[in-house]
């Protein structure tokens, strides 16, 4: 069992930055060999994948809308995944969730149904 808690959301003006945190707990290997993905959901829209990282190593992967502006990173010692968000735009406004999946070959990383554990979300609001 994995519990996830996100934090770091808030309200910023366009062009600003925020850093989101996702802390995992519940098992000593909460983040070991897992796929951790940040999703977001704007009002009236579906949940979309933003950035993903495999905790066993390898390069992160980003959605086109955030590539070059967002950075996902892992602190294994702290069981924490971060999402650094720079050059924020009003269209980045959404509830942001982190999700964890047991990694398997062929998994579809930006499909919410692939993920077993979810946090409660943290709100990000970007004003123009």
């Amino acid at each position: 069992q994995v519990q996830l808690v996100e934090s770091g959301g808030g309200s910023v003006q366009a062009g600003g930055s925020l850093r989101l945190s996702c802390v995992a707990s519940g098992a000593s290997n909460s983040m070991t060999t897992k796929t951790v993905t940040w999703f977001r959901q704007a009002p009236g829209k579906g949940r979309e994948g933003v950035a993903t990282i495999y905790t066993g190593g390898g390069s992160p992967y980003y959605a086109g809308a955030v590539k070059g502006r967002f950075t996902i990173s892992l602190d294994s010692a702290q069981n924490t995944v971060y999402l650094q968000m720079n050059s924020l735009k009003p269209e980045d406004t959404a509830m942001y969730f982190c999700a964890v999946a047991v990694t398997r070959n062929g998994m579809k990383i930006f499909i919410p149904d692939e993920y077993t554990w979810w946090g409660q979300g943290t709100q990000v609001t970007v004003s123009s």
Side-chain angles (χ1 to χ4, degrees):
Q1 189 71 14
V2 176
Q3 290 84 47
L4 303 172
V5 177
E6 303 99 330
S7 63
S11 297
V12 296
Q13 290 190 325
S17 298
L18 287 172
R19 188 177 79 156
L20 307 183
S21 300
C22 172
V23 180
S25 63
S28 61
N29 60 345
S30 296
M31 288 271 194
T32 303
T33 59
K34 302 289 196 302
T35 293
V36 183
T37 297
W38 283 97
F39 287 84
R40 66 186 181 186
Q41 187 167 19
K45 295 188 176 181
R47 202 164 286 193
E48 65 168 342
V50 172
T52 190
I53 191 167
Y54 170 56
T55 62
S59 299
Y61 182 80
Y62 300 92
V66 307
K67 196 171 185 179
R69 300 188 296 123
F70 290 11
T71 303
I72 189 171
S73 61
L74 168 69
D75 183 338
S76 298
Q78 300 296 324
N79 266 349
T80 301
V81 170
Y82 299 99
L83 185 68
Q84 177 67 43
M85 306 187 296
N86 298 327
S87 302
L88 283 162
K89 304 175 181 180
E91 51 263 44
D92 295 318
T93 295
M95 184 73 79
Y96 283 71
F97 301 88
C98 68
V100 172
V102 175
T103 304
R104 59 175 180 81
N105 290 332
M107 72 174 289
K108 299 175 178 63
I109 55 174
F110 281 167
I111 301 298
D113 286 349
E114 295 278 73
Y115 292 81
T116 303
W117 299 285
W118 290 82
Q120 83 291 346
T122 186
Q123 177 68 37
V124 172
T125 302
V126 185
S127 57
S128 57

